[in-house]
Amino acid sequence: METVPHTHDARAAVGPNPSGHPSAKESLLVVASNRGPVSFERDEHGKLVPRRGIGGLVTALSGVLFRDATWVASAITDGDREIAKRGRAASAGAGQRVRFVQIDHETYDGYYNQISNQILWFAHHYLFDVARTPRFGDDTVQAWERFVEVNQAFADVLAREADRHPVYLIQDYHLALVPAMLRERVPDARIIHFSHTPIAGPSYMRILPARMREAVIRGMCGADLLGFQSPIWAENFALNVRSTPGLRIDLRTLRARDDARTIPIRSFPVAVPGHVIRETAARPDVVEAAQEIEDWRGEPALLLRVDRLEPSKNIIRGFLAFELFLKQHPEWVGRVKFLSLLSPSREEMQDYQRYGEEALAEAERINKAFGTAKWKPIDVRVQEDFHFAVAAYTRYDVLLVNPVYDGMNLVCMEGPLVNERQGVLALSVNAGAYTRVGRHALGLNPFDIQETADAIRQGLEMPAEERARRARGLTRSILAHSPETWLLSQLDELDLVRPPAAGSDHETAQESDDAFGSFNDEVGI
Ligand code: G6P
């Protein structure tokens, strides 16, 4: 795990503030997320050793934390649980500590599998098959109680850090209730909640039982500041506030309001650490893997996708689009290979198992229909291998990133940074990243298989000059933001909302009520 030197400089430059209260940048950071930066497992000598956590959230946060950060996470492995039992924080490298919240298996299942993954993740990514699912019964009521319980356990552990006057950075839907619960325990706590996922609009969110939906929106509004990956998700959240009793919203300035406080709703797009990806691409083993990919590819062009094996990534429509492209442009048969690198995810969930099986079956069917003895159109590799993925990034001609909805999407920012073939990015307009880099990509409606097939063709056939121009534009846009600026801009904004000298009184709480509409106003869809 890394710390980023110039972040420390930025922190030092702020200096002590005259009031004696630390500014957000000077404060200890306490991060809370379901999955921690590391997980502990026993090695062959029986020693507990840390392994880096997986997923976009950990990737985004790991590189940017200042020294002296404490990370509070669920105990997921037996090793984590052993550490949690000892009641002490463990080192997570570079001056960071991780404190695990002890949760028994059954409670964790309700909180993580049933509510977080099957309900909240599906709601925010518009993944329900609404003619059939979801079906909320008494099992949902029970699972919800477990979700509440775990959020309370997090709030308890976080409250114990309060005497150090930290800034709390609460991450994602798993912990949506924590800001309000923590506020009850520590009324003057400084809290940011950040959502790495999309947020569904209010009519879709109304699929959820009212009690659950309102608790999520109110729980998040316990924060001082709400962060989202894209303005679209921030606006959707604001519309959800409008339909929540007891809360009001100013849709013009995107500020929510409860009885006492005003809560800005802002977008802070996460960025990728350019130097880390580029250093990875230069590693000898990665260069070797890139050569292997070259040898395997041969003459044909390379279409690449790199994703978690996850329904929101829209893998099946990606294969169908490739099939349609081959059907409509037989001149490309034998001249392009589609490498699909899929890392296993949430394997205990039936929906994921089914989706994975269906995706692999589609690839096989297309391979049978179009493949020859010498050419396999789609090569699917289900593996967790970041270095191999980076090697593949260097070699693609077209990178297909077509999620149905995605909070941000890091693949479409990592790839162009190390690609050596002026590869073209075909990008879903429903990825948060589209707002940032879309103008240099070929935008596509992820539900439109014809449009996706057209984007594949356009990418493969694009004249060299346009490829080069778009590739330059992509690199420039991606490097314009860094993970450090992502975090620092949240902390700067927090200082505006909760000025260091102001203690627990919110300046903004004095504002006039005129701008705020309540849930009685016309409700958006
Ligand atoms: C991805 C998403 C995050 C989410 C995480 C959870 O990284 O970008 O928003 O929190 O998945 O994944 P997990 O495997 O822990 O369920």
Side-chain angles (χ1 to χ4, degrees):
M1 189 156 320
E2 261 183 294
T3 46
V4 178
H6 87 249
T7 305
H8 296 298
D9 296 342
R11 191 183 183 198
V14 174
N17 86 57
S19 69
H21 294 281
S23 72
K25 278 184 207 137
E26 291 172 301
S27 302
L28 169 77
L29 298 180
V30 175
V31 180
S33 63
N34 175 56
R35 203 180 275 281
V38 290
S39 234
F40 286 82
E41 271 156 33
R42 289 215 174 271
D43 66 8
E44 62 274 27
H45 310 294
K47 207 171 151 242
L48 279 176
V49 288
R51 294 205 199 294
R52 193 176 188 280
I54 50 168
L57 182 156
V58 169
T59 310
L61 265 161
S62 293
V64 296
L65 286 185
F66 307 154
R67 269 196 321 258
D68 303 332
T70 296
W71 199 316
V72 177
S74 298
I76 296 177
T77 62
D78 288 342
D80 299 346
R81 275 187 278 274
E82 277 186 54
I83 295 201
K85 259 191 226 138
R86 293 179 196 165
R88 272 189 277 124
S91 163
Q96 295 175 35
R97 290 167 302 279
V98 58
R99 194 178 280 289
F100 290 113
V101 180
Q102 178 85 295
I103 307 163
D104 66 63
H105 283 290
E106 217 179 309
T107 307
Y108 190 76
D109 180 60
Y111 146 81
Y112 177 69
N113 290 322
Q114 296 182 54
I115 301 293
S116 300
N117 288 347
Q118 263 166 45
I119 299 180
L120 297 179
W121 179 272
F122 270 56
H124 288 321
H125 292 82
Y126 297 82
L127 286 175
F128 294 126
D129 173 11
V130 289
R132 296 184 190 81
T133 64
R135 297 174 189 183
F136 301 123
D138 51 356
D139 51 337
T140 313
V141 176
Q142 259 185 26
W144 176 250
E145 278 165 19
R146 293 184 171 139
F147 183 83
V148 173
E149 215 179 291
V150 172
N151 274 250
Q152 264 159 355
F154 264 88
D156 286 339
V157 173
L158 292 168
R160 277 183 229 137
E161 305 281 338
D163 52 354
R164 303 171 75 189
H165 302 293
V167 168
Y168 290 104
L169 302 171
I170 316 293
Q171 308 299 305
D172 254 349
Y173 51 96
H174 313 91
L175 304 181
L177 311 184
V178 166
M181 290 172 168
L182 182 56
R183 172 94 38 226
E184 261 172 43
R185 289 159 175 78
V186 187
D188 68 347
R190 286 173 298 164
I191 308 171
I192 303 177
H193 184 280
F194 190 87
S195 295
H196 295 259
T197 61
I199 296 290
S203 61
Y204 201 81
M205 284 293 275
R206 277 198 287 274
I207 291 174
L208 303 185
R211 195 162 73 108
M212 190 186 292
R213 183 186 73 239
E214 289 169 12
V216 163
I217 305 300
R218 274 210 207 91
M220 286 169 71
C221 283
D224 294 292
L225 172 63
L226 291 166
F228 297 90
Q229 295 279 26
S230 147
I232 305 165
W233 316 138
E235 280 161 24
N236 274 356
F237 185 84
L239 291 171
N240 279 297
V241 170
R242 183 160 72 169
S243 50
T244 305
L247 292 174
R248 283 172 298 158
I249 186 77
D250 178 353
L251 282 178
R252 197 177 42 84
T253 57
L254 289 195
R255 287 170 308 156
R257 180 85 194 264
D258 67 8
D259 292 341
R261 301 171 316 111
T262 300
I263 308 117
I265 300 167
R266 296 279 176 268
S267 120
F268 302 101
V270 80
V272 291
H275 61 287
V276 175
I277 308 290
R278 286 181 164 167
E279 276 160 29
T280 307
R283 287 168 54 112
D285 58 328
V286 174
V287 172
E288 202 177 300
Q291 189 53 52
E292 263 169 44
I293 293 170
E294 265 308 87
D295 296 344
W296 161 83
R297 182 174 66 89
E299 283 291 304
L302 180 64
L303 172 65
L304 175 71
R305 77 173 305 137
V306 177
D307 280 302
R308 286 189 298 115
L309 185 38
E310 143 79 53
S312 69
K313 301 296 183 186
N314 205 18
I315 295 156
I316 297 176
R317 285 196 194 86
F319 290 155
L320 295 177
F322 185 58
E323 177 185 30
L324 185 59
F325 157 74
L326 291 175
K327 222 186 261 171
Q328 292 174 336
H329 302 283
E331 68 278 15
W332 276 99
V333 167
R335 289 179 49 222
V336 54
K337 288 183 175 175
F338 187 177
L339 177 61
S340 291
L341 302 181
L342 306 174
S343 53
S345 180
R346 301 177 193 161
E347 292 166 281
E348 56 293 334
M349 284 178 66
Q350 258 185 23
D351 280 325
Y352 280 56
Q353 288 161 14
R354 246 182 268 130
Y355 187 80
E357 282 160 16
E358 214 181 304
L360 297 184
E362 282 297 345
E364 213 176 291
R365 182 186 61 73
I366 295 165
N367 282 342
K368 275 210 185 102
F370 288 87
T372 61
K374 284 203 189 124
W375 175 67
K376 184 171 157 191
I378 306 177
D379 194 321
V380 183
R381 305 193 192 177
V382 180
Q383 59 190 32
E384 177 72 57
D385 189 343
F386 181 63
H387 287 172
F388 192 82
V390 173
Y393 285 156
T394 66
R395 308 315 311 155
Y396 68 78
D397 297 289
V398 176
L399 178 64
L400 178 63
V401 180
N402 67 325
V404 288
Y405 291 94
D406 212 336
M408 172 55 77
N409 192 285
L410 300 183
V411 167
C412 67
M413 297 200 278
E414 291 169 349
L417 283 184
V418 293
N419 182 262
E420 292 167 11
R421 295 171 63 86
Q422 295 182 329
V424 177
L425 174 64
L427 178 61
S428 164
V429 296
N430 291 344
Y434 189 79
T435 329
R436 278 213 40 214
V437 302
R439 66 184 197 282
H440 309 292
L442 300 175
L444 58 91
N445 167 354
F447 305 99
D448 189 337
I449 291 167
Q450 180 65 66
E451 196 173 286
T452 310
D454 292 345
I456 292 173
R457 178 185 179 209
Q458 208 187 326
L460 288 170
E461 296 182 358
M462 188 178 284
E465 199 187 316
E466 189 182 346
R467 298 174 76 86
R469 184 163 43 76
R470 284 179 187 262
R472 273 197 308 274
L474 276 172
T475 309
R476 223 182 16 249
S477 305
I478 295 163
L479 292 178
H481 292 258
S482 70
E484 300 87 69
T485 51
W486 171 66
L487 181 58
L488 290 175
S489 53
Q490 291 178 57
L491 298 179
D492 281 342
E493 184 85 23
L494 181 65
D495 276 338
L496 294 179
V497 189
R498 297 284 310 270
S504 60
D505 294 329
H506 276 220
E507 262 189 3
T508 45
Q510 314 299 327
E511 280 174 289
S512 131
D513 275 357
D514 298 350
F516 292 86
S518 70
F519 87 110
N520 291 323
D521 295 350
E522 191 196 333
V523 172
I525 330 192

